[in-house]
Amino acid sequence: RFLRARLAAPLPGAEAQRRFAPVPLLPGWSPDLTPATARRAAALLLFYPSSSGPTLALTVRHTSLPHHAGQISLPGGGLEPGESLEAAATREAEEEIGVAPDRLRLVGALSPLWIPVSNFVVTPFVAVTDERPAFRLHPGEVEALVEVPLSHLRDPAQIRLAQRQRLEQLVDYPFIAIDQHTVWGATAMMLSEFLCLFDAHHAPPAIA
C-alpha cells in the first residue's frame, strides 16, 4: 500500500537518478532527456518475501551481450511493435528470469531514464509477488541471479565510490556493494530513485 501510494505521488525523478551518475557527467546528458533517436524500453524491480524481508531480483548480464555485458542489471529490454511499457517489463521478466506475468502484481512506475550508451529511454516498473518465484534464467542473457534484501539496498554503509575509464577520461562513480558485485550506472540510478521513495536524503558521499 505504501509503494502504490508513493508511486502515484510526485516522484523524486532526475535529481535522485543523477546522484548515482558518474562524474563528470557526459556532455549534454541529463537522465530526463528523451532524444528523438532513442528507443523505448522497460525494466522491472521485482520484490518478493524472504527470511531477510522484502528482496529484489537482480541479474548478471551475459558476457556475450552487446551492451552492459557482465554488469548487474534489472530484467528489462526494448519494446516490441505495438507493445506497452507495462507489457514489455513483464514480458522481459518472463523471458530473462522465468516469472510469468500472472504471478506478479504491478504497483507503479518510476521516472524514465535515458541511457546514452545503448540510447534507450527506460521506464522502470515496480512489482511484487506473495512468495519467492521459481526462477528460470535465460541461458543466453543471464549468467546469474542476485537476490538482495531491501534492507541492504537502504543501508548507506553499502554505498561506495570508485573510478573507472570512460573513453579517454577517468570518472568517479558511486556504486552499491552487494557481496562481490558492484551495482553502478543505470541500474544504480534507477535504484536511487526507488530508495528515495523511503528516504529523500538517500545518496552517496559527495564527489569532489
Side-chain angles (χ1 to χ4, degrees), residues 111-127:
S111 302
L113 172 68
W114 176 36
I115 306 174
V117 173
S118 53
N119 201 26
F120 276 113
V121 174
V122 181
T123 299
F125 288 85
V126 179

Side-chain angles (χ1 to χ4, degrees), residues 140-180:
E141 296 188 32
V142 179
E143 290 198 349
L145 187 74
V146 178
E147 302 179 74
V148 53
L150 177 58
S151 58
H152 183 99
L153 295 172
R154 294 184 62 187
D155 182 0
Q158 306 307 324
I159 304 175
R160 315 285 168 78
L161 297 175
Q163 290 185 319
R164 66 186 301 122
Q165 197 75 22
R166 183 180 66 199
L167 301 177
E168 298 180 355
Q169 186 178 38
L170 194 64
V171 298
D172 298 292
Y173 67 95
F175 67 92
I176 303 170
I178 304 174
D179 297 327
Q180 75 274 26

Side-chain angles (χ1 to χ4, degrees), residues 68-82:
H68 314 293
Q71 293 184 16
I72 301 294
S73 181
L74 296 163
L79 270 66
E80 295 183 347

Side-chain angles (χ1 to χ4, degrees), residues 48-55 149-150:
Y48 49 91
S50 77
S51 59
S52 301
T55 296
L150 177 58

Side-chain angles (χ1 to χ4, degrees), residues 14-186:
E15 193 277 329
Q17 296 167 333
R18 198 178 284 111
R19 295 177 188 181
F20 274 81
V23 176
L25 302 178
L26 282 170
W29 175 83
S30 180
D32 52 348
L33 292 179
T34 306
T37 58
R39 293 181 58 198
R40 290 283 184 173
L44 196 71
L45 285 76
L46 176 60
F47 288 91
Y48 49 91
S50 77
S51 59
S52 301
T55 296
L56 174 68
L58 295 169
T59 65
V60 179
R61 291 173 59 83
H62 201 280
T63 53
S64 65
L65 293 173
H67 297 298
H68 314 293
Q71 293 184 16
I72 301 294
S73 181
L74 296 163
L79 270 66
E80 295 183 347
E83 188 176 40
S84 68
L85 289 165
E86 294 89 339
T90 56
R91 173 182 55 77
E92 289 286 347
E94 182 170 29
E95 292 177 1
E96 293 186 15
I97 58 175
V99 181
D102 62 0
R103 304 294 293 177
L104 55 84
R105 300 191 304 280
L106 286 177
V107 180
L110 294 165
S111 302
L113 172 68
W114 176 36
I115 306 174
V117 173
S118 53
N119 201 26
F120 276 113
V121 174
V122 181
T123 299
F125 288 85
V126 179
V128 299
T129 64
D130 294 325
E131 59 185 11
R132 183 185 183 277
F135 293 108
R136 290 179 292 101
L137 307 184
H138 189 294
E141 296 188 32
V142 179
E143 290 198 349
L145 187 74
V146 178
E147 302 179 74
V148 53
L150 177 58
S151 58
H152 183 99
L153 295 172
R154 294 184 62 187
D155 182 0
Q158 306 307 324
I159 304 175
R160 315 285 168 78
L161 297 175
Q163 290 185 319
R164 66 186 301 122
Q165 197 75 22
R166 183 180 66 199
L167 301 177
E168 298 180 355
Q169 186 178 38
L170 194 64
V171 298
D172 298 292
Y173 67 95
F175 67 92
I176 303 170
I178 304 174
D179 297 327
Q180 75 274 26
H181 301 293
T182 296
V183 182
W184 71 288

